[in-house]
Amino acid sequence: MKTFHTEPDCLFCKIAAGEIPSTKVYEDESVYAFRDINPQAPTHILVIPREHIVSAGALNAGNSVYAAKCLEAVAKIAEREGLSNGFRLISNCGPEAGQTVPHLHFHILAGRELGEKMV
Ligand code: 5GP
Ligand code: ZN
């Protein structure tokens, strides 16, 4: 089984490892997805790599495969959750963007009219 680089004090590393409980939506060898504890839409799912990567700003040729795996998982989750009316995919990167957990994650938001603001 593949081993991943994880950080002992990282909340999302602990969630992916099952050390902190979460409502699982999807998992595979490289990716874990779960419901956001403070949902901003009827469907609000967080998709994270098992590999500890701080944010999209820390991606490089050596670890970008994990971002790709997350995006493949997003497509599968959207299908399974029946998000055919659309969803918004957000990855906050750094303090000015409001990133509060320094482990790469993609928010899937759906189930209400999200509007045209913020791209
Ligand atoms: P960020 O603000 O870093 O883009 O997103 C972090 C997200 O993680 C927030 O939407 C927040 O509600 C969610 N979150 C923080 N702690 C927990 C937790 O312990 N469990 C779950 N399920 N979500 C969490
Ligand atoms: Zn982590």
Side-chain angles (χ1 to χ4, degrees):
M1 202 165 108
K2 184 163 178 13
T3 54
F4 296 94
H5 164 239
T6 59
E7 286 292 331
D9 294 332
C10 173
L11 174 64
F12 284 0
C13 282
K14 288 180 184 168
I15 285 178
E19 292 165 14
I20 291 177
S22 65
T23 305
K24 181 174 81 176
V25 173
Y26 171 89
E27 71 176 326
D28 63 31
E29 193 199 29
S30 316
V31 176
Y32 186 77
F34 55 105
R35 306 235 175 240
D36 197 292
I37 205 166
N38 182 23
Q40 304 298 306
T43 297
H44 187 171
I45 295 164
L46 298 171
V47 182
I48 65 175
R50 295 189 188 278
E51 177 82 2
H52 179 84
I53 299 167
V54 168
S55 74
L59 289 169
N60 56 49
N63 63 16
S64 61
V65 65
Y66 297 114
K69 296 277 185 193
C70 284
L71 295 176
E72 288 178 34
V74 166
K76 285 183 194 160
I77 292 163
E79 173 82 25
R80 285 185 193 179
E81 295 275 318
L83 307 182
S84 54
N85 285 338
F87 62 90
R88 184 162 291 164
L89 190 63
I90 294 175
S91 188
N92 293 321
C93 182
E96 274 195 14
Q99 184 181 10
T100 57
V101 181
H103 179 126
L104 176 65
H105 52 280
F106 296 91
H107 298 256
I108 299 174
L109 294 156
R112 68 169 169 84
E113 182 56 59
L114 293 164
E116 293 180 9
K117 294 217 169 118
M118 288 304 281
V119 305

